[in-house]
Amino acid sequence: MLFCIWGLLLLLNSATIGCAERVELFWDIGTLNISRDGYSTWKSMCVNNAVPIPPVHVTQGDVLVLNVRNSLDVPTTVHAHGIYHNYTDYYDGAEMVTECGIPPGENFTYIIDTTTQVGNFWLHSHVQSQLTDGLRTPFIVHEKIKPSTYDEEKLLYFEDWDLRSFDAELAIHSKLNIKDITTAYRMLINGINGNVTQPVAFVPGKRYRVRVVSLLTVMWIKFRMPGHTMQIIDQDGVACNPVEVDGLDMGPGQRFSILVTAHDTTEFNYKYNVTLYANFVNPLPGIIPRYYNGPIEYHQNAPLKHIPDVEDNQLSWSNTLDLQARDGMPLLP
C-alpha cells in the first residue's frame, strides 16, 4: 500500500511539472569562514561555497526543482516561506514536523509548485539556527504578465547579522534577562555589508515596483525613501488595494511591494533610510538602534538632496490592519 501511495504522489508531481516550466537549481549547503558585515569573521552558512545566496526568481506556474546536497555535519532543510504546500507538505522543509531533515552527506529534492501564488517569499532553513547564520534568500514569484502599473522592478532585502554565530551568542546571553541583552547585530543589505550597499538606480519619470523583503530573524527594521511617495500594493504574497505610507515597519519574515515614481529630473540624488531596532532590549547609543542608508541614484555626479529628518511619530507607517486584499477577502474569516 505504501508503495502505491508514493507512486501516486510521484505521478501527480510529474503531471504538475509537465504542465509548467521547470526551474531547476542545485544547492550544496555548507559553511564558509568569511566576514559578511565588515567587522566579524565566522562560519557563515553558504550555498555552493559562496555567499550571498542568490535570490531565486520564477514565474507563476513554474515548478521550482531544488536539488539539495547537505555538506554540513548536521541535518538541514529548505523551507519556502509563505508558499502553500497543499497535499505536498513533505516538501515544506520543517524539520521534525513535515520531514526528518536531510542527513549529513545526503541529498534531497524539493519540488515547489507556484501555480496558485504570486509575490514575494523567501527560502530558508528550518533547522536550529541555520537561518540566523545565513541560510536564507528571497524567492520571488513573478506574474505571468507584468502589470501595467509600473515600468521596472527593484529588490531590496535585509538581514540581521551578529558578531558571532547564533549558538555562540546564545551561550553568552542564556543567563541574562532579555532586557539586559546588548546585542551587536548589524545589517546586510542585498547580502552584503549594509554600509557599502550598491545604489538603487532610478530613471527620471519611471515608476518602480520595489520589492522589500525582511530576512530578519531577531531584529526589526523601519524603511523609508525620503523625498519619494511610497504606495503599498502587496504584503506577504497577497495583493492589496494601494495604501500610501511614509515608511514600512517590518518584523522578521515580512515582505512588501511598493510603487515609487521617480522624479522628472536628474538634478539630485537621494537616500533611502533603514533603522535596525528591537523594542525588547534596552537602547544603547550606537548599537541599538543602528541607522543605515543607501543611495537612490539619478545621476552619478548629481549632488545629494538634503531632506530634513522627521520624528517617527509624525509619519504614517505600514499596518497590516489597514490593508484590504484586492480580491476582497477579509483579513479574518
Side-chain angles (χ1 to χ4, degrees), residues 35-225:
S35 175
R36 296 192 61 188
D37 60 358
Y39 297 92
S40 57
T41 299
W42 48 275
K43 285 188 176 181
S44 167
M45 300 291 297
C46 69
V47 165
N48 301 333
N49 204 37
V51 293
I53 303 170
V56 175
H57 293 265
V58 301
T59 300
Q60 185 181 17
D62 290 348
V63 174
L64 174 63
V65 180
L66 183 58
N67 301 288
V68 177
R69 169 73 175 177
N70 182 8
S71 292
L72 303 169
D73 57 5
V74 295
T76 192
T77 68
V78 177
H79 169 68
H81 191 112
I83 292 293
Y84 304 140
H85 284 280
N86 295 326
Y87 308 108
T88 58
D89 55 341
Y90 39 85
Y91 292 138
D92 191 42
E95 187 198 30
M96 306 313 295
V97 179
T98 60
E99 67 173 86
C100 295
I102 308 170
E106 297 295 331
N107 305 312
F108 186 76
T109 297
Y110 293 93
I111 300 178
I112 301 170
D113 185 7
T114 65
T115 300
T116 62
Q117 292 182 261
V118 66
N120 307 321
F121 308 94
W122 55 308
L123 302 173
H124 63 79
S125 173
H126 234 304
V127 176
Q128 298 179 354
S129 60
Q130 292 175 9
L131 183 164
T132 308
D133 292 346
L135 187 45
R136 53 192 177 187
T137 197
F139 176 38
I140 308 300
V141 182
H142 297 269
E143 292 89 345
K144 291 181 180 179
I145 300 175
K146 186 180 80 66
S148 60
T149 51
Y150 59 90
D151 301 298
E152 295 182 18
E153 294 188 5
K154 301 292 182 180
L155 173 63
L156 286 169
Y157 60 96
F158 304 97
E159 302 171 67
D160 42 8
W161 197 252
D162 209 346
L163 291 175
R164 55 191 67 84
S165 71
F166 183 85
D167 286 345
E169 190 75 14
L170 187 63
I172 294 172
H173 290 148
S174 60
K175 296 182 179 180
L176 295 177
N177 183 290
I178 193 166
K179 282 291 186 178
D180 296 326
I181 294 176
T182 54
T183 180
Y185 278 102
R186 290 177 168 83
M187 185 152 60
L188 308 180
I189 300 177
N190 286 10
I192 64 173
N193 179 354
N195 291 308
V196 295
T197 184
Q198 296 299 307
V200 175
F202 272 11
V203 174
K206 284 194 173 184
R207 200 178 203 196
Y208 293 90
R209 177 183 188 165
V210 183
R211 299 178 183 269
V212 186
V213 180
S214 162
L215 306 186
L216 305 168
T217 57
V218 176
M219 308 294 282
W220 285 57
I221 60 167
K222 291 183 176 180
F223 173 81
R224 295 186 61 222
M225 302 180 75

Side-chain angles (χ1 to χ4, degrees), residues 214-244:
S214 162
L215 306 186
L216 305 168
T217 57
V218 176
M219 308 294 282
W220 285 57
I221 60 167
K222 291 183 176 180
F223 173 81
R224 295 186 61 222
M225 302 180 75
H228 298 81
T229 299
M230 296 169 46
Q231 195 176 65
I232 298 173
I233 59 170
D234 76 50
Q235 180 185 350
D236 298 341
V238 178
C240 65
N241 295 328
V243 173
E244 187 173 313

Side-chain angles (χ1 to χ4, degrees), residues 270-333:
Y270 297 79
K271 287 187 176 182
Y272 64 83
N273 300 331
V274 190
T275 302
L276 185 69
Y277 79 101
N279 286 334
F280 55 84
V281 292
N282 289 322
L284 193 63
I287 296 179
I288 303 175
R290 291 187 190 273
Y291 302 96
Y292 294 82
N293 54 65
I296 302 172
E297 187 175 276
Y298 283 81
H299 190 279
Q300 185 176 2
N301 298 320
L304 181 66
K305 176 76 170 181
H306 174 69
I307 299 177
D309 290 335
V310 180
E311 295 293 330
D312 283 359
N313 59 12
Q314 299 180 33
L315 300 171
S316 62
W317 295 94
S318 58
N319 185 339
T320 300
L321 297 178
D322 295 335
L323 303 180
Q324 295 181 336
R326 200 166 62 197
D327 62 7
M329 184 176 291
L331 181 64
L332 295 173

